Amino acid sequence: MDFGVVLQTDPPASLVVERMRQAEALGFTHGWTFDSCVLWQEPFVIYSQVLAATERLRVGPMVTNPSTRDWTVTASLFATLNDMFGPRTVCGIGRGDSAVRVTGGTPATLARLGEAMAVIKDLVEGREASPNGTPVRLPWVRDGRLPVWMGAYGPKALELAGRQADGFILQLADPYLTRWMVEHVRDAARRAGRDPAEVTVCVAAPAYVGDDLAHAREQCRWFGGMVGNHVADLVARYGDTGGAVPAALTDYIKDRHGYDYSHHGRAGNASAEFVPDEIVDRFCLLGEPAAHLERLAELREIGVDQFAIYAMHDAVDGTLGAYGEKIIPALR
């Protein structure tokens, strides 16, 4: 199992770069960031510094979207980084949440997301693509490579991920839901004539190492609020009965009333007060290292290839250090 760390690009950017450098030294293979240009600093600028400060770490957004940048701009950013530092980028992408909602937009359709993934990958890998119906190519790309990993929850999104994406990003660490969603992605890959093993599975969730579970829950409750934004979209599309989406995912948002993106992804987010302790415990990894090892072993058995830690709490360095010392060596 590989391990990644997910950071927000809060200033100073130098701290993001240093934590990514330390993560590589601790055994992490991937460095991810949020990508929301109003709430945080521009990640692609920071990626260049991270790549310069590391040797093997792969970097990318968790996740970007098809709406806030022209697809040719996104492709050129990835291709430029790969040309400068070797093929060490990964494109995590989804329909869009905070990046589009804070400016009054809405998430992209799955059709548009699928088209964007194809165009971005083709251009970065040196092939011709036709955004807006006009054939274009990045003429300076040589031997380009870009894995595209798609974030998904609902049945139609899981179908698209299995049919087209190189990887599947699931933003929660509940074993029951992970199994359900991984099976949907693999079934879609089979129907598309693909080998399901070719689709990398990445679970991303907060991890907090420590013995004070009540405090850890409060530090990570924000995550249930963030996931709740996507769940609310699913309920609006599929309803909360009928079995299209598991009740284990949808039931907890019944007391959700709006969401304030000014506190998005931050401990103490008042918009996440509706999230019960049970959801925090299911969606996140909390407690002493043994508890983390037990959950991660279960996720690995399900088929998870990478666990990426959302590091947005008051014990970032301690948790990353514990993973480097006690958890990563045991699972690699």
Side-chain angles (χ1 to χ4, degrees):
M1 178 180 276
D2 283 337
F3 290 84
V5 59
V6 189
L7 300 176
Q8 292 168 341
T9 53
D10 287 313
S14 58
L15 179 58
V16 178
V17 174
E18 177 58 20
R19 278 191 165 143
M20 293 290 192
R21 188 195 65 78
Q22 292 174 355
E24 180 181 65
L26 290 167
F28 289 83
T29 60
H30 288 68
W32 304 93
T33 73
F34 281 42
D35 178 16
S36 192
C37 59
V38 172
L39 298 180
W40 296 285
Q41 292 184 328
E42 171 55 45
F44 283 92
V45 176
I46 298 172
Y47 295 155
S48 65
Q49 296 295 309
V50 173
L51 290 166
T54 56
E55 297 179 0
R56 300 169 303 281
L57 196 73
R58 297 180 180 274
V59 305
M62 188 175 282
V63 291
T64 192
N65 66 85
S67 303
T68 54
R69 297 182 190 87
D70 186 273
W71 302 343
T72 60
V73 173
T74 300
S76 186
L77 288 166
F78 280 114
T80 300
L81 291 172
N82 286 343
D83 186 65
M84 293 173 67
F85 299 102
R88 293 169 54 197
T89 63
V90 182
C91 177
I93 191 168
R95 294 174 58 225
D97 182 31
S98 63
V100 296
R101 295 189 201 265
V102 297
T103 56
T106 57
T109 64
L110 289 175
R112 182 170 174 81
L113 174 57
E115 185 182 359
M117 289 195 297
V119 167
I120 291 167
K121 184 175 179 67
D122 281 344
L123 291 176
V124 177
E125 296 189 345
R127 295 183 293 275
E128 182 179 278
S130 297
N132 303 314
T134 300
V136 294
R137 183 192 300 270
L138 301 181
W140 43 270
V141 169
R142 299 290 182 272
D143 301 319
R145 183 164 62 87
L146 181 69
V148 176
W149 296 7
M150 178 185 156
Y153 291 104
K156 292 182 179 179
L158 296 169
E159 171 75 22
L160 176 60
R163 185 174 71 247
Q164 182 176 339
D166 300 306
F168 162 50
I169 296 172
L170 174 58
Q171 292 168 314
L172 54 80
D174 174 79
Y176 171 78
L177 292 172
T178 299
R179 189 181 299 277
W180 186 86
M181 294 186 189
V182 168
E183 287 176 354
H184 275 66
V185 169
R186 288 173 171 165
D187 287 345
R190 291 188 189 96
R191 289 192 296 271
R194 305 177 67 192
D195 179 356
E198 293 179 355
V199 183
T200 301
V201 177
C202 175
V203 160
Y208 194 111
V209 177
D211 59 5
D212 188 340
L213 286 178
H215 179 74
R217 288 187 186 109
E218 290 309 312
Q219 286 290 302
C220 297
R221 197 176 303 278
W222 63 266
F223 183 68
M226 185 181 84
V227 173
N229 297 329
H230 303 285
V231 176
D233 285 346
L234 293 178
V235 170
R237 175 180 291 271
Y238 297 102
D240 54 6
T241 60
V245 182
L249 178 61
T250 60
D251 279 355
Y252 85 98
I253 70 162
K254 63 181 182 298
D255 294 323
R256 176 183 182 271
H257 303 289
Y259 189 85
D260 182 355
Y261 279 93
S262 66
H263 304 290
H264 188 58
R266 300 192 186 280
N269 185 349
S271 297
E273 290 177 352
F274 72 94
V275 180
D277 287 353
E278 178 216 356
I279 289 294
V280 182
D281 291 347
R282 282 172 42 204
F283 284 12
C284 307
L285 273 68
L286 312 175
E288 298 287 5
H292 293 247
L293 285 167
E294 181 179 2
R295 177 79 66 84
L296 289 167
E298 188 174 3
L299 293 171
R300 183 173 62 177
E301 184 275 329
I302 292 168
V304 174
D305 300 296
Q306 179 181 149
F307 176 61
I309 297 174
Y310 274 103
M312 294 96 196
H313 49 61
D314 63 3
V316 172
D317 295 327
T319 293
L320 296 184
Y323 264 71
E325 179 183 352
K326 299 178 179 180
I327 296 172
I328 292 176
L331 291 170
R332 179 160 294 163

